Every structure is written in C-alpha cells, then in structure tokens.
Amino acid sequence: MKDFSSYLPITKWARSYNRDWLRPDIIAGITLGAFTIPEVIAFVSLANLPPEVGLYSALIALLVYVIFGSSRQLSVGPTSTISILVGSTLGSLLIVNAAQYLMMASLIAVAAGILAFISWTFRLGFIVKFISKTVLTGFLAGIALFIASGQLPKLFGITGTTGNFFERMYYLFMHIGQTNLYTLAIGVGGIIFLYVATKRFPKLPNTLFLVLGSILLITLTNLASLGVHLVGYIPPGLPGVIIPDPNLIDINVLLTLAATVFLVSYIEGYLFAEEYAAKHRYKVDGNQELLALGLSNIAVGLFQGLPIGGSLSRTAVNEESGAKTQLAGGVSALVILLVLLLFTGLFYNLPEAILAAIVLYVIKALVDIPHLKTIYKFSKIEFTIAIATLLSVLFLGALQGIVIGVILSIMGLLRNMYNPDVVILGRIPGTDQFLDVKRHPESEIISHTLVVRVDGSQIFLNTDSVKNTIIDLVDNKFKDTKLFVLDFEASAFIDYSGIQMLEELNDELKLRGIKIKAANMHGHLRDSIRKSRLEQEIVDSTICLSIEDCIEKWDTENKK
C-alpha cells in the first residue's frame, strides 16, 4: 500500500525546494498569469461562455495542479481545442437558457474528471496511445480551421454565424458587405502587433500588453459607439459551488463528449509535459497526470467552470519565463485571484475583435503543415487518415471528427494485422545470417529448404492469410521443399487461433512430406506452443535456437 504522500508530488518538490528557484518561479508565475488572463477569456468564447468562466476554470485548475501535478512547467486551464469541443457539441443542442448551458459545461468537466480518476485508479496511463499522432495532427488542423471560421466573422464585426466550417465561411462571404471597418482595423492591428511583438520580445506578456492597449484605445475614443463590440461586464468575486445535474444532457452525448474531452485533454497535456520534462531531464508520471487531470476537472466543474487541459502556448511561456517548479503555476493562480477580486472592471472595454485576434494568432500553430508533409512521405495511408479526420471535423464537427479519426486509425491497424508480410529469407553467403531475399538479392535460397518470417503476431485476424500464403508458396514456387523453417523473430504474440493455424499448417505440410521447424522462438511463444500438440514436433529447446541450428538439426536427422 502506497503512502498517501506519494500521490502528492508537492510533498516531494516542496521538501527539496531550492531557495534560488524562488525568484524565477515568482517571475514566471506573474508572467504566466498576465498571459493566461486574456487567453482564457478568449478561449471560453469558443465554448460560448462568459469571460469569468475562463478565469474561474484557470484559477481552480492551477491550484489543484500545483498539488497533484508531476510536471514542473505544464500550465493547465481552458484550451482552444477543448473549448471548441464543448461549444460545438453543446451549441448543436440549441440551449436557450444561459445558466443551464453553463451547468452542462460544468457537468462535462466533472464527467471527464471522473473518467480520468477511474483511469488513474486502474493505472491506465497507457491510454495516451489511443489517439495516434496521425489522427491528432489531422484533428488539431481541422479544429484550427473550424475555430478560424468562427473567429473571422468577429474580426470583421459580423454576427450570426452558425453551422459547420463551410456554412460559416459561406455566411461570412455572403455578408462581407456588413464588415465594420473599425472592428476589422482593431482585429488586424492586434494580429500584426502579436506577430511583431512575439518575434522581437518573445519572453514578454505581449498578449496582456495588447489587451491593455486596446482597452485604453476604447476608453479614450468613441469607437464603441461606432459598432465595435465589447466584452462588457465581468462580475467580480469568486465562483460558488454547484452540483451539476446529470439529467441535463442525454447520457449518450454526455459520455461521448466527456470521453473525448478526457482523451484529448490527457493526450495533449501529457505530450506537452513529456516534451518539457525531456528538455529539463526529469520524468513525468503518466498515471499521476491522470489523477491531477481528474481532480482538476472535477474541482473546476464544481466551481462553475468548463473542462480544462494542458495548454501548449501557456506552458511554453511558463518555461521560457524561467519556471523551475510547480510553484510558478501557483503564483499565476494568485494573479488570477487578484484580478477576480479587484480588477474585473478593467476588462469592460476589451474589444471582442482583440479576443478573436488572440485566438487566430494562437491557433495557427495547430495547422502543422511540415508534420503533415512528413506523414505523407512516411505513409500515404496514414496521411489519408489525417486528412479524413481533418475533413470530418470541418464537415461534421469536432466530436464526430475525432471519433471518425480513431475508427479509421483502428481500421488501418487491423488492416496491417490482417495481412502481415510473409517474408522469404535467404542466407547471406559466408555467414549464418538470413535476410529478406527481396531486399537482399545476394542472399541464397538453400536447396529443398524454405525459410519464412511472419512480420507480426499470429492472431485470429490473420491466421488464414498466413497459412494460405505459406501453402501457396510450397505448392507453387517452392515445390521441392523438404524442410520448412518458420522464423518467429518478429512475432511477439500468438493466440489460440494462431496455435490452431500452426497445427493445421503442420498437418498440411506433413501430407506433402515436408518437415516443419521453428526458430528464434522466445519464452512466451514456447510456453504457448507447449500447451498444444506441437511441442515435440516444432519446438527444440536445446538445438533449434536459430535458423542455422534448425537446418543443421534437419541435416543430422536425414543422415541417420
């Protein structure tokens, strides 16, 4: 039984805290807080929620993660991906009551947190592999374009866009004449400012400077009266505790959305945390991150927030600002707390076009063209899966898009498992090394001997394919075969169907007068075969340890 403190990383890093880290942690925390405030206000607008929800969510998530998180640099809170998942799904339900809509968003956070907590209980940290990087690349690119289609109208000062990516872009095109030039100038100016300032001063809270500058501009001019939309009133104070009603949402929608939010938030957060942990030479605990994510989301949901995850942009700011430990995240939470208590009125004159500019600038990194090119060069099938995922997001929505991407990815995996390569091996002259004859034309086929390697585990999906391929080889191209050697070097696992296939293959080869032997069979495979009638026929634990051994063994048997 583990000691309770082992589940609290704060007890470890706090005990060994170096006083020299305090100053950089405080500076990084203040910088991160200044960057977080405008970004989370912008991101929660993607979920069609008011600005204060973003501040509540970031505050609670950061405080919980300081205690339970294992990454020193990861910053958690609302993200563009999760916000659009929530916004696009709940938005399709046509909920009129704003309080009920917020309650639903909080319910999703609690449900996603419970799923993470259950996964932690059963030590399911490996589920980070459930969504392949191919699917994630296509999904994030689709999400970025989908988000852009919702933010561009705000940049132009046009209201009323709904639907999928193409419907939104069509609406923008048809109503381009309604553009508010003052709004457009503010938004485009904001994007230009972020681009230039980030290039020249990457370590400064440029987003905060933009927000404060735009507020000052609105305060000193009459632009608000010229149709420039503002954020408006943000209530001061802290959120109250709520208990979301699980009956608010259809159970199928609730579970599907919560599971998707959980997987995306965990995978993104873990990847970001792992990247910076490798850079700073320490390790993050995948299962501990499940606990931190679960408790953060549950707490956020109980305090009127929306689901949270790890943010790449804010994590980068935290690391570049010199964060040494999780304390930096705690300091940033205190900055947000201060704003909630004293300075929410400051954001009344914040133009919505500036929030759109911030979102558009941040999400451009999600469309990873170089990575898509790399995937294309590596595998046309995986590239097709990435593009199919992207298009599914654009046509059908974020939730449906990632589900389709995962299904396609699994189908691609099953296709490879169903039809593994059956490779013919030949001996390299002057050695006892056997290699693929197609890749190594210099290799030689041994007289009356067929050596085959199956590149993959023998399981129920592929047993017929493997057996039929081998029978076809001995019946046609290698009719003179007297010894058949099956190389298990590339086979990690064999199931009951695989054992039955070997028994049937042995019977078929016996009828043709062919002896079968196994080579390079590791312990687990030997244990599996010993449970069948094949043990004495193809397993030789003392001699047939390699292909060459099998051939020598057969030669010796024939001389007797």
Side-chain angles (χ1 to χ4, degrees):
M1 183 72 179
K2 279 189 174 184
D3 180 56
F4 180 72
S5 63
S6 65
Y7 303 123
L8 302 172
I10 190 173
T11 61
K12 297 177 184 177
W13 62 260
R15 278 199 301 264
S16 59
Y17 193 84
N18 188 328
R19 293 180 64 180
D20 294 337
W21 297 342
L22 185 59
R23 184 173 181 274
D25 270 346
I26 291 175
I27 293 173
I30 293 172
T31 305
L32 176 62
F35 184 87
T36 298
I37 292 166
E39 187 171 89
V40 298
I41 289 175
F43 284 167
V44 295
S45 68
L46 301 174
N48 304 309
L49 290 166
E52 64 269 19
V53 173
L55 298 176
Y56 298 160
S57 303
L59 170 66
I60 301 300
L62 286 166
L63 290 175
V64 175
Y65 192 83
V66 166
I67 300 171
F68 294 96
S70 64
S71 170
R72 301 170 192 170
Q73 282 79 31
L74 186 67
S75 177
V76 296
T79 70
S80 57
T81 308
I82 296 172
S83 294
I84 199 64
L85 269 171
V86 173
S88 60
T89 305
L90 295 187
S92 66
L93 302 180
L94 303 177
I95 304 155
V96 178
N97 188 300
Q100 185 179 9
Y101 185 94
L102 173 58
M103 186 80 75
M104 288 181 173
S106 297
L107 176 61
I108 298 300
V110 172
I114 290 173
L115 289 177
F117 187 82
I118 292 172
S119 299
W120 167 76
T121 303
F122 291 99
R123 302 188 64 79
L124 302 180
F126 62 85
I127 59 174
V128 72
K129 307 298 182 184
F130 270 31
I131 299 180
S132 69
K133 290 188 178 180
T134 299
V135 170
L136 194 60
T137 300
F139 172 71
L140 292 178
I143 280 289
L145 294 173
F146 186 82
I147 291 172
S149 70
Q151 296 302 303
L152 283 172
K154 294 181 180 179
L155 200 71
F156 284 78
I158 298 171
T159 59
T161 56
T162 56
N164 64 32
F165 170 82
F166 299 100
E167 291 168 339
R168 292 180 175 196
M169 294 306 295
Y170 178 76
Y171 184 93
L172 174 62
F173 178 77
M174 294 303 295
H175 293 81
I176 199 70
Q178 298 177 11
T179 298
N180 184 301
L181 295 179
Y182 299 104
T183 299
L184 181 61
I186 290 172
V188 172
I191 293 174
I192 294 172
F193 172 83
L194 286 175
Y195 179 81
V196 174
T198 304
K199 286 284 187 183
R200 299 195 62 179
F201 311 104
K203 294 187 178 182
L204 294 179
N206 297 305
T207 307
L208 182 65
F209 293 156
L210 172 62
V211 166
L212 295 177
S214 65
I215 290 172
L216 184 62
L217 176 67
I218 297 297
T219 303
L220 298 178
T221 65
N222 67 337
L223 287 172
S225 64
L226 298 174
V228 175
H229 297 289
L230 307 177
V231 167
Y233 177 71
I234 300 177
L238 301 178
V241 177
I242 60 169
I243 306 297
D245 182 359
N247 297 314
L248 285 173
I249 310 177
D250 176 77
I251 188 65
N252 293 322
V253 175
L254 172 61
L255 291 178
T256 306
L257 180 55
T260 306
V261 165
F262 157 56
L263 282 174
V264 171
S265 62
Y266 177 57
I267 289 168
E268 281 192 330
Y270 183 77
L271 291 176
F272 303 155
E274 194 176 45
E275 179 180 341
Y276 283 97
K279 182 176 180 180
H280 292 274
R281 298 184 178 180
Y282 69 92
K283 290 186 177 181
V284 290
D285 184 336
N287 284 301
Q288 183 64 35
E289 288 302 294
L290 282 173
L291 177 62
L293 177 69
L295 295 180
S296 295
N297 265 304
I298 291 171
V300 164
L302 295 177
F303 282 93
Q304 303 181 42
L306 83 164
I308 58 88
S311 165
L312 178 58
S313 58
R314 298 197 294 276
T315 300
V317 167
N318 196 30
E319 192 267 344
E320 289 170 2
S321 301
K324 302 297 182 184
T325 69
Q326 291 90 325
L327 180 62
V331 173
S332 67
L334 294 179
V335 172
I336 297 171
L337 176 63
L338 190 64
V339 168
L340 276 169
L341 293 176
L342 301 175
F343 299 112
T344 55
L346 182 67
F347 295 93
Y348 184 93
N349 284 335
L350 175 60
E352 288 187 355
I354 290 297
L355 296 181
I358 293 170
V359 171
L360 289 168
Y361 181 79
V362 169
I363 65 171
K364 67 179 176 21
L366 298 180
V367 184
D368 195 344
I369 300 298
H371 196 189
L372 285 170
K373 288 181 178 178
T374 302
I375 294 173
Y376 179 79
K377 291 177 182 177
F378 176 76
S379 169
K380 303 297 186 294
I381 292 177
E382 292 203 45
F383 178 77
T384 301
I385 291 173
I387 296 302
T389 304
L390 187 158
L391 293 175
S392 297
V393 171
L394 299 185
F395 277 104
L396 304 174
L399 184 60
Q400 296 87 340
I402 198 166
V403 170
I404 289 173
V406 170
I407 291 173
L408 290 175
S409 188
I410 292 173
M411 288 176 64
L413 177 63
L414 293 177
R415 177 182 176 275
N416 291 333
M417 294 172 66
Y418 175 75
N419 193 27
D421 287 334
V422 177
V423 180
I424 299 171
L425 304 180
R427 180 194 279 147
I428 300 297
T431 74
D432 59 1
Q433 188 175 16
F434 286 77
L435 299 175
D436 184 350
V437 295
K438 288 185 178 179
R439 293 180 178 271
H440 301 272
E442 73 277 15
S443 59
E444 299 173 346
I445 301 292
I446 299 174
S447 177
H448 303 297
T449 301
L450 175 61
V451 183
V452 164
R453 183 186 72 224
V454 179
D455 287 343
S457 298
Q458 279 100 80
I459 59 173
F460 67 96
L461 282 172
N462 58 36
T463 51
D464 285 341
S465 173
V466 170
K467 185 184 75 172
N468 292 337
T469 300
I470 293 171
I471 294 299
D472 182 65
L473 286 172
V474 298
D475 282 349
N476 295 288
K477 192 174 180 180
F478 298 92
K479 290 183 178 179
D480 63 342
T481 300
K482 299 298 180 185
L483 170 65
F484 174 75
V485 180
L486 186 56
D487 181 12
F488 282 88
E489 186 176 23
S491 299
F493 173 74
I494 187 168
D495 67 2
Y496 179 69
S497 297
I499 293 292
Q500 281 195 313
M501 180 273 290
L502 289 179
E503 291 176 347
E504 293 170 5
L505 179 63
N506 184 51
D507 293 339
E508 292 274 3
L509 294 179
K510 268 187 176 181
L511 292 174
R512 291 163 174 79
I514 300 172
K515 176 69 175 179
I516 182 173
K517 284 190 175 293
N520 297 316
M521 184 177 287
H522 62 71
H524 291 301
L525 289 179
R526 287 174 181 270
D527 293 341
S528 296
I529 290 194
R530 284 195 175 100
K531 299 173 184 177
S532 73
R533 60 183 172 85
L534 293 172
E535 178 180 4
Q536 298 302 321
E537 301 199 42
I538 71 169
V539 180
D540 190 322
S541 61
T542 59
I543 299 176
C544 196
L545 300 177
S546 67
I547 297 172
E548 187 67 29
D549 288 338
C550 286
I551 295 171
E552 290 178 0
K553 167 72 172 176
W554 183 68
D555 287 338
T556 301
E557 291 171 353
N558 282 343
K559 290 177 182 178
K560 290 182 179 179

